[in-house]
Amino acid sequence: MIDLNWPYAWGGPCAQAQLKSSAADFVVEEWLDFEPEGQGEHLWLYIEKTGLNTDEVVKCLGKWAHLPFHAIGFSGLKDKHAVTRQWFSLHLPGKADPELALLERPELKVLRQHRHPRKLKRGVHKGNRFHICLRELQGDLSTLQQRLAQLQHGVPNYFGEQRFGRDGYNLSLATPLFAGELTRLSRHKRGLVLSAVRSYLFNQILAERVRQGSWQQLQVGDVAMLAGTQSIFAVAELDDSVISRNQQLDIYPTAPLPGSGNSQSEGAVFALETAICQQYSAWLQGLLDAGLKQERRALVSIPQQLSWQLDADSLSMSFSLARGSFATAVIRELCTVQQQPFLA
């Protein structure tokens, strides 16, 4: 079994709790940094779903509007075992909006609808707002209160365990896939395996930076990312400006999502990243053979607009995360959880 237990930043969980005792205990709201224009060939729908994954909603929309998969757009994948609100687009040139009453059901509701000139593409949303309730809470509540305050300084930006499949199943397919033994694997499943491998290698690099205590602090040779953007630049020296911006959480260190292309990191940082990736040389070669390009991801995730209510046996939290960051990376710094997904 592949080890998915990465080191903690703030000392490890100090409590235990139940997660997802009901749908309402895990609410996710996708948000954009713009508004649909109100006219155009694409109908944009802001949908609340319960007990459905994103692909299932796409199938419902296709059947409702008589559209193929490629005519429907969405920005991010959302959890099935939750109440989630996200945007979808449907390409309807010269067509009237379909009747909403024929689409809606208890587990699927349309909250907003607007026309827009363009299709909704993957990764367009700015981030997600989470409202989470942890129940049957037990542990050191005094330390938990302190830990909640520490979260405002960030958590390691690990990919969550859901990226790797149950018990790391997606990763278990990597070696036979790269060896050419899984020739009938679907394109969708192949994409999940490639994504899991890149995410795992990133987490391994981040884990080492956590062990070294350098996951927040920029080092010479790092590639820095500007908070709230994907803009990156090489850190050639740690002058007062760079140090100050790092301390103010304006820029963060990054690590690679491996693929072809120059790493951009240098010195000891480059050596660390290379040494860890080379431990998985067959996987790394598989990513290169698949034609994936290297990207950079921030090592730090900052929960924005963080608020909480801590009671004797429950913890309710609200916070926003940038696109691609996982709420489970926040929760794991607080509590060991047992998930009890509701029955849809």
Side-chain angles (χ1 to χ4, degrees), residues 166-183:
R166 184 180 296 274
D167 297 325
Y169 176 73
N170 292 340
L171 289 171
S172 73
L173 299 179
T175 297
L177 173 64
F178 295 147
E181 299 170 5
L182 296 179
T183 56

Side-chain angles (χ1 to χ4, degrees), residues 22-23 49-53 56 80-82 106-107 340-344:
S22 70
K49 63 182 184 65
T50 304
L52 298 172
N53 63 34
E56 289 169 332
K80 178 173 184 173
H81 302 297
E107 67 273 20
Q340 294 183 332
F342 64 94
L343 297 177

Side-chain angles (χ1 to χ4, degrees), residues 138-325:
Q138 298 180 348
D140 185 345
L141 301 190
S142 176
T143 300
L144 183 59
Q145 187 78 257
Q146 299 173 11
R147 189 69 50 76
L148 284 160
Q150 287 177 305
L151 294 183
Q152 299 176 80
H153 301 289
V155 299
N157 195 21
Y158 290 121
F159 286 96
E161 290 188 10
Q162 56 267 49
R163 173 59 59 93
F164 309 108
R166 184 180 296 274
D167 297 325
Y169 176 73
N170 292 340
L171 289 171
S172 73
L173 299 179
T175 297
L177 173 64
F178 295 147
E181 299 170 5
L182 296 179
T183 56
R184 302 184 66 180
L185 203 65
S186 70
R187 180 178 179 181
H188 174 70
K189 189 61 180 179
R190 181 175 180 272
L192 291 179
V193 175
L194 294 176
S195 178
V197 169
R198 292 219 297 174
S199 301
Y200 183 81
L201 296 180
F202 172 89
N203 276 13
Q204 291 292 85
I205 297 170
L206 172 53
E208 184 57 33
R209 294 285 294 254
V210 172
R211 294 186 189 98
Q212 295 181 1
S214 64
W215 63 280
Q216 293 170 298
Q217 287 77 41
L218 284 168
Q219 302 178 342
V220 173
D222 257 323
V223 178
M225 180 173 288
L226 179 63
T229 75
Q230 296 297 305
S231 299
I232 59 175
F233 63 92
V235 179
E237 60 177 330
L238 292 176
D239 58 27
D240 291 343
S241 174
V242 169
I243 294 173
S244 176
R245 293 178 68 189
N246 185 203
Q247 292 174 341
Q248 294 173 21
L249 306 178
D250 182 44
I251 53 177
Y252 316 131
T254 66
L257 295 170
S260 63
N262 296 328
S263 73
Q264 299 178 284
S265 60
E266 297 180 346
V269 175
F270 174 77
L272 183 150
E273 295 172 356
T274 301
I276 291 176
C277 287
Q278 286 300 326
Q279 295 176 30
Y280 306 88
S281 57
W283 284 7
L284 185 60
Q285 187 59 51
L287 296 175
L288 296 176
D289 292 341
L292 296 179
K293 304 296 184 183
Q294 186 188 122
E295 302 173 63
R296 304 291 300 194
R297 174 181 167 93
L299 297 183
V300 183
S301 176
I302 307 290
Q304 302 287 348
Q305 301 170 302
L306 174 64
S307 63
W308 66 84
Q309 180 176 336
L310 180 60
D311 298 318
D313 61 353
S314 67
L315 169 62
S316 298
M317 307 172 61
S318 294
F319 53 89
S320 297
L321 294 177
R323 180 184 71 247
S325 293

Side-chain angles (χ1 to χ4, degrees), residues 9-22:
W10 301 112
C14 55
Q16 304 84 42
Q18 297 288 345
L19 177 63
K20 298 183 180 180
S21 298
S22 70

